[in-house]
Amino acid sequence: MKLVDFHCHLDLYPDFEALVMESERLEIFTLAVTTTPKAWARNQMLASNTRYVRAALGLHPQLVAEHWREIDLWEKLLSETRYVGEVGLDAGPRYFSSMARQEKIFRQILRRCGRSRKQDSVDP
């Protein structure tokens, strides 16, 4: 039986590298979602030579209040990945005060992903 984890924060574990290797050894298809664009490069580096682990570019809605300026980096990195994860909205009590910024960032992400997808379908 093959296992799949399409939402895993491998990079938040103390020994991220060991978990990547364990996923490979156990043949667990894993999408390692990043919480900020700055975290993506390390995730991509560790996943780049694996068969079962992929890195997804993200900007966690709970972190938008502090990391919204990284959206330019997010947009730049989008062309380097096939996977986007850990984006969206979080209207919970702790994060409701940043909803306006979350909505703005999420709309920007959706528009950018839409343009990227449209280009992929047009390009040979």
Side-chain angles (χ1 to χ4, degrees):
M1 177 173 71
K2 296 286 184 182
L3 299 175
V4 176
D5 186 342
F6 277 129
H7 187 108
C8 188
H9 293 284
L10 290 178
D11 62 331
L12 298 181
Y13 285 86
D15 196 351
F16 175 39
E17 293 88 352
L19 285 174
V20 169
M21 299 314 272
E22 185 76 358
S23 294
E24 281 295 294
R25 187 181 69 74
L26 296 173
E27 299 180 352
I28 300 171
F29 291 101
T30 306
L31 187 62
V33 296
T34 57
T35 55
T36 68
K38 286 183 179 177
W40 187 82
R42 181 169 181 255
N43 281 263
Q44 174 60 12
M45 180 196 65
L46 291 169
S48 64
N49 294 319
T50 67
R51 181 173 180 191
Y52 296 97
V53 180
R54 297 293 181 265
L57 179 62
L59 181 51
H60 200 296
Q62 294 176 355
L63 300 177
V64 164
E66 298 87 27
H67 295 272
W68 65 272
R69 289 177 187 87
E70 290 183 40
I71 191 63
D72 292 336
L73 177 58
W74 189 97
E75 287 194 6
K76 178 183 171 211
L77 293 171
L78 183 59
S79 65
E80 297 179 28
T81 185
R82 295 180 61 196
Y83 307 97
V84 172
E86 201 58 82
V87 297
L89 303 171
D90 189 329
R94 289 181 57 198
Y95 306 102
F96 189 76
S97 64
S98 68
M99 274 305 294
R101 189 164 312 270
Q102 286 183 51
E103 288 174 355
K104 181 179 178 185
I105 294 295
F106 190 43
R107 281 190 183 99
Q108 192 170 345
I109 287 170
L110 292 174
R111 278 193 301 273
R112 185 61 177 90
C113 286
R115 282 195 308 266
S116 180
R117 181 75 177 138
K118 189 180 287 187
Q119 290 169 351
D120 288 346
S121 65
V122 174
D123 293 340

